[in-house]
Amino acid sequence: MILLASKSSGRLATLQAAGVEPLVRVSSVDEETVLGELIRRRRDAGLPAPSAAEQVQALARAKALDVMTSTDPQEAEVVVGCDSMLEIAGQVVGKPADVAQARERWRMMSGGTGTLHTGHFLVRTADGTTAEGVSSATIRFGSPSPAEVEAYIASGEPLWCAGAFTIDGLGGAFIEGIDGDPHGVVGISLPLLRRLLAALGVVWTDLWAPPPATKPVDDAH
């Protein structure tokens, strides 16, 4: 059993579609505080600002470790934390704060490309051993009309997604292509997760939920 430290319905649905039924527990991490501390540490060390990959990894780590403190090893073998951000036009963006910001994001993205980074941080509950990695994919955005953008924003979907879009929902029609793992764009990379779990001694296929029991066929009827 693994425990997903995320409230993302996309991450949960991705795991379930792959045959994995995780426990879910949302962390209480303040993302702005985590990123502020990361930036301060790098500045004090004379280092440049953290990259998008470093930011999503710091948030994934914080979420997994936060949930780890309240998880019994008998409850789950591994805690999985994830976080996603879009890098576009030299900017790193997460979820839009409001409708105006979502509209501005789509003005920037329309007809262009961006890179969606998703950080993964795993903790084995028995001994605290960790494994981590980042999945990055290039997104080729379509050019929706102003009316389509407004309709999409009015649906509410862009307001709870990193980068103000999804590929597994209403926004999928506005994405022309993806170079990289599409699962990572949804929020959790299955190939990367399988490798990280293997590093912690967990076999991916052992996580598959057993098929539902079926009644034997009565040949007499």
Side-chain angles (χ1 to χ4, degrees):
M1 178 67 71
I2 64 173
L3 193 157
L4 179 63
S6 172
K7 64 180 179 181
S8 166
S9 59
R11 291 188 182 112
L12 176 60
T14 297
L15 288 172
Q16 290 173 328
V20 179
E21 191 67 51
L23 295 174
V24 176
R25 183 168 299 145
V26 181
S27 80
S28 57
V29 165
D30 184 302
E31 296 187 8
E32 290 188 6
T33 298
V34 172
L35 292 180
E37 178 63 18
L38 173 64
I39 292 170
R40 184 193 64 77
R41 289 199 309 269
R42 291 184 63 86
R43 183 179 62 241
D44 292 348
L47 298 173
S51 66
E54 289 168 331
Q55 291 182 51
V56 293
Q57 198 67 336
L59 290 171
R61 179 185 300 110
K63 292 175 181 179
L65 294 178
D66 176 67
V67 169
M68 164 76 169
T69 61
S70 61
T71 302
D72 189 285
Q74 299 299 318
E75 185 180 17
E77 188 172 359
V78 175
V79 175
V80 179
C82 295
D83 195 84
S84 300
M85 288 185 179
L86 178 69
E87 187 173 11
I88 186 167
Q91 298 182 33
V92 180
V93 298
K95 298 175 185 177
D98 50 34
V99 166
Q101 194 170 73
R103 186 179 294 117
E104 175 60 20
R105 294 272 174 82
W106 270 97
R107 187 194 67 76
M108 293 172 56
M109 298 186 303
S110 182
T113 62
T115 303
L116 197 291
H117 304 277
T118 295
H120 302 65
F121 193 89
L122 281 59
V123 189
R124 190 163 59 198
T125 56
D127 57 10
T129 301
T130 64
E132 60 184 305
V134 177
S135 170
S136 299
T138 299
I139 315 298
R140 300 193 302 277
F141 295 100
S143 300
S145 69
E148 287 174 323
V149 170
E150 290 304 316
Y152 185 41
I153 293 172
S155 76
E157 184 179 273
L159 299 177
W160 51 264
C161 305
F165 76 96
T166 69
I167 64 169
D168 59 335
L170 299 177
F174 307 132
I175 306 302
E176 295 294 333
I178 297 169
D179 300 320
D181 177 20
H183 301 106
V185 178
V186 176
I188 187 164
S189 169
L190 297 179
L192 176 56
L193 179 60
R194 181 186 62 80
R195 295 194 300 271
L196 294 176
L197 285 167
L200 298 181
V202 178
V203 177
W204 176 257
T205 52
D206 288 347
L207 296 174
W208 287 345
T214 57
K215 293 182 179 180
V217 177
D218 187 347
D219 293 336
H221 298 282

